């Protein structure tokens, strides 16, 4: 009888510890302030894009910010969500200040919800995850520009699920469901403009493409790893042996800022003509 009680107590302790860890909220610091006027003028000289491709953005009421993209090829190829581009005839990547790089798009065969954006020059591509390392309970980090400003979120992987599409002629999609476990401190918008951005593991390897948030359920949905791998396989990717930053619940805001600053993750926008 005493042994039974000891086993029961040990099991109860394990459940409490695991549950506590899964529901732990780890917010990142507030987003850094935008650059000053003097710093803006230097951006064009310190980007991986060709100088001739960089443009000045129009005033605020002539442009909108629509989503997030991330690099899959150093030659200038990016994954973007099709919804981030929509019917826009003048899409761009915001590179800071009032500067941007226009891009053209091509289809991502077999993945109608995404496009490959093409720019003249680009940031170092993000590495892809080893699918054997994608397991329930792992922590993921969703990086980008929620609500039109810099920000990120983190979550614990629940597992695979099916995302039902409400629009006609759209098929249901296999996705990864994450239990939200934190976001940028002070973020006032939802996370839906993270769409198209990368969800990475603690080694900065892309696990999926961020799709949307369900705030009521505390869920973030991303694509499965196979989707990223399939789209990335359509571009020329050279082996990259540079070390990647490790992300934790304490530093993911800082590492996210680094990926944005190095133009590996970029903001998508549209010039309204």
């Amino acid at each position: 009888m005493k042994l039974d009680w000891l086993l029961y107590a040990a099991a109860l302790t394990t459940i409490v510890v695991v549950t506590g860890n899964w529901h732990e909220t780890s917010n990142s610091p507030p987003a850094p302030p935008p650059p000053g006027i003097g710093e803006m003028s230097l951006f064009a000289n310190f980007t991986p894009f060709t100088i001739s491709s960089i443009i000045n953005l129009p005033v605020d009421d002539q442009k909108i910010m629509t989503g997030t993209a991330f690099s899959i090829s150093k030659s200038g190829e990016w994954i973007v969500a099709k919804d981030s581009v929509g019917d826009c005839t003048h899409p761009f990547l915001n590179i800071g200040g009032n500067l941007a790089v226009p891009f053209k798009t091509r289809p991502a065969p077999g993945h109608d919800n995404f496009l490959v954006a093409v720019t003249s020059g680009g940031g170092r591509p993000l590495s892809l995850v080893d699918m054997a390392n994608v397991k329930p309970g792992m922590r993921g980090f969703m990086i980008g520009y929620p609500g039109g400003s810099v920000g990120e979120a983190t979550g614990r992987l629940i597992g695979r699920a099916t995302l039902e599409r409400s629009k006609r002629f759209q098929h249901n999609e296999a996705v990864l469901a994450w239990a939200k476990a934190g976001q940028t401190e002070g973020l006032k918008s939802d996370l839906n403009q993270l769409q198209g951005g990368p969800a990475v593991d603690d080694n900065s390897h892309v696990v999926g493409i961020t799709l949307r948030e369900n705030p009521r359920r505390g869920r973030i949905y991303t694509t499965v790893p196979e989707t990223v791998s399939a789209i990335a396989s359509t571009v020329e990717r050279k082996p990259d042996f540079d070390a990647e930053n490790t992300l934790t619940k304490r530093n993911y805001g800082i590492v996210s800022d680094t990926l944005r600053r190095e133009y590996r993750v970029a903001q998508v926008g549209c010039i309204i003509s």
Side-chain angles (χ1 to χ4, degrees), residues 79-171:
I79 289 179
V80 297
K82 192 172 184 178
D83 285 347
S84 295
V85 178
D87 296 326
C88 179
T89 54
H90 301 291
F92 63 84
L93 297 183
N94 183 15
I95 63 173
N98 66 330
L99 302 178
V101 176
F103 64 79
K104 297 184 180 301
T105 63
R106 65 170 185 260
H111 299 279
D112 295 341
N113 296 323
F114 301 100
L115 299 168
V116 175
V118 182
T119 58
S120 181
R124 184 162 66 93
L126 273 71
S127 304
L128 305 186
V129 73
D130 180 345
M131 295 185 197
N133 295 330
V134 180
K135 300 176 181 178
M138 69 179 287
R139 188 179 280 270
F141 305 89
M142 297 75 186
I143 303 166
Y145 294 85
S149 59
V150 298
E152 54 278 328
T154 182
R156 293 279 191 181
L157 179 60
I158 300 171
R160 294 186 178 230
T162 299
L163 188 64
E164 295 185 358
R165 295 290 182 178
S166 58
K167 295 180 181 179
R168 292 183 65 190
F169 310 117
Q170 286 191 339
H171 299 292

Side-chain angles (χ1 to χ4, degrees), residues 12 16 19 71 75 88 133 152 182 198 202 209 220 242 248 271 273:
L12 182 61
V16 170
T19 304
S71 174
S75 61
C88 179
N133 295 330
E152 54 278 328
D202 56 6
I209 308 167
I220 301 172
D242 288 354
T248 69
I271 296 174
S273 55

Side-chain angles (χ1 to χ4, degrees), residues 45-57:
N45 297 319
F46 294 95
T47 76
F49 308 100
T50 58
I51 295 294
S52 60
S53 69
I54 297 174
I55 63 170
N56 288 299
L57 286 172

Side-chain angles (χ1 to χ4, degrees), residues 31-48:
I37 295 175
E39 189 178 355
M40 288 182 187
S41 62
L42 299 175
F43 282 161
N45 297 319
F46 294 95
T47 76

Side-chain angles (χ1 to χ4, degrees), residues 126-267:
L126 273 71
S127 304
L128 305 186
V129 73
D130 180 345
M131 295 185 197
N133 295 330
V134 180
K135 300 176 181 178
M138 69 179 287
R139 188 179 280 270
F141 305 89
M142 297 75 186
I143 303 166
Y145 294 85
S149 59
V150 298
E152 54 278 328
T154 182
R156 293 279 191 181
L157 179 60
I158 300 171
R160 294 186 178 230
T162 299
L163 188 64
E164 295 185 358
R165 295 290 182 178
S166 58
K167 295 180 181 179
R168 292 183 65 190
F169 310 117
Q170 286 191 339
H171 299 292
N172 293 342
E173 183 178 0
V175 299
L176 297 181
W178 305 77
K180 185 177 175 183
Q183 65 177 37
T184 303
E185 193 76 47
L187 193 65
K188 293 181 172 57
S189 65
D190 61 31
L191 302 177
N192 287 325
Q193 277 195 27
L194 283 175
Q195 67 173 342
V200 303
D201 65 6
D202 56 6
N203 291 312
S204 296
H205 297 157
V206 181
V207 179
I209 308 167
T210 306
L211 297 173
R212 65 181 179 87
E213 176 190 20
N214 186 330
R216 290 185 62 188
R217 298 192 63 194
R219 298 287 184 265
I220 301 172
Y221 297 100
T222 71
T223 68
V224 294
E226 293 90 334
T227 300
V228 190
S229 179
I231 298 174
S233 69
T234 66
V235 306
E236 184 178 350
R237 288 171 59 89
K238 296 180 180 179
D240 192 342
F241 301 105
D242 288 354
E244 298 284 6
N245 289 314
T246 299
L247 291 94
T248 69
K249 64 182 182 180
R250 293 181 177 84
N251 77 350
Y252 72 94
I254 296 172
V255 176
S256 298
D257 287 337
T258 299
L259 292 175
R260 286 182 287 253
R261 188 169 57 249
E262 293 178 349
Y263 301 103
R264 303 178 72 188
V265 177
Q267 187 176 35

